[in-house]
Amino acid sequence: MTTEEFSNEFDALLNSYSTTEEFGKTPNTIELDEYEKSVFLTKAQEDVVIDMYNGKNTFGDSFEKTEEVRRYLSGLIKTYTTSIKETTYKGLSKHSVFFKLPKDLWFITYEAVDLEDDGLGCKSGEDVCVTPVTQDEYHRIRKNPFRGSNERRALRLDLNEEAVEIVSKYNVASYLVRYLSRPNPIILNDLPNDLSINGINKKTECGLNPVIHRAILERAVRLAIISRVPSAGK
């Protein structure tokens, strides 16, 4: 669905839901400009993606369980590898190293580190999995040889939206992450310089699989109706 089709069908669907004042006297139509429609479409798109990732969809399965859902979101999957370590952070362990994350990262689907350490012998240079843990969990397992970091596993602590803390008893050469990226907004027309959506103000087509465009449109219209007629959301 092109931006023109999104705009036209948004208006048509919105008008079909026109409400009526008390006693059925005055039709109450909702009129939105292109910026407002773009905001609702972008919000709806993000909601649909999150629901599909979490399994809150018509398939009832999450992103990792259904091939069909993975295909719908395949355009958002990216892989990022870095060996550049950040030195501006202080870690919970003397073995902590820090890596910056891509700015468009939303959800991590897979991660690994490349360990290069003489202490590993012939296993040096192999990739090992990364296990995310909370700070409380880390303090419980950090000295456990089976659940803590070892030659088969590194631990990841979330630092902030920009970086992660990796804890490994062996030297980490690089960090690889595959992730679901945040979709670009749906912007129907170029916006004035004082307006933007997610940092973008140029006309932007929906980059997701066309199969889910209709679901995005219908959710956007519902969001618009609820914003203007709060009782419609009850």
Side-chain angles (χ1 to χ4, degrees), residues 45-113:
Q45 175 181 238
E46 293 179 352
D47 289 349
V48 167
V49 169
I50 291 173
D51 283 354
M52 296 187 78
Y53 177 79
N54 290 326
K56 297 178 181 178
N57 51 69
T58 56
F59 310 102
D61 286 321
S62 65
F63 169 76
E64 287 297 323
K65 291 184 178 180
T66 304
E67 173 71 14
E68 189 169 5
V69 175
R70 288 200 297 272
R71 292 301 176 191
Y72 289 162
L73 301 181
S74 61
L76 298 178
I77 301 301
K78 298 181 181 180
T79 302
Y80 169 83
T81 304
T82 180
S83 58
I84 302 174
K85 299 173 184 177
E86 299 296 317
T87 59
T88 56
Y89 303 104
K90 184 176 181 180
L92 298 182
S93 166
K94 63 181 181 180
H95 300 296
S96 294
V97 290
F98 302 89
F99 296 97
K100 274 197 172 181
L101 296 171
K103 291 184 178 181
D104 63 344
L105 184 147
W106 237 13
F107 303 107
I108 294 174
T109 61
Y110 174 81
E111 55 189 325
V113 291

Side-chain angles (χ1 to χ4, degrees), residues 44-46 49 52 108 118 121-122 151 153 157 187 189 195:
Q45 175 181 238
E46 293 179 352
V49 169
M52 296 187 78
I108 294 174
D118 292 340
C122 62
E151 70 277 6
R153 176 176 58 248
L157 291 150
I187 302 179
N189 280 328
L195 293 176

Side-chain angles (χ1 to χ4, degrees), residues 30-49:
I30 302 173
E31 295 184 1
L32 302 174
D33 59 30
E34 297 301 277
Y35 170 70
E36 291 173 310
K37 287 189 284 186
S38 297
V39 170
F40 287 122
L41 285 166
T42 299
K43 176 64 166 63
Q45 175 181 238
E46 293 179 352
D47 289 349
V48 167
V49 169

Side-chain angles (χ1 to χ4, degrees), residues 169-200:
K169 63 184 296 185
Y170 299 101
N171 181 61
V172 177
S174 63
Y175 174 61
L176 177 149
V177 58
R178 179 164 290 176
Y179 64 97
L180 186 72
S181 61
R182 185 175 190 174
N184 287 328
I186 301 173
I187 302 179
L188 303 178
N189 280 328
D190 289 352
L191 302 176
N193 291 333
D194 60 333
L195 293 176
S196 66
I197 301 176
N198 294 348
I200 299 175

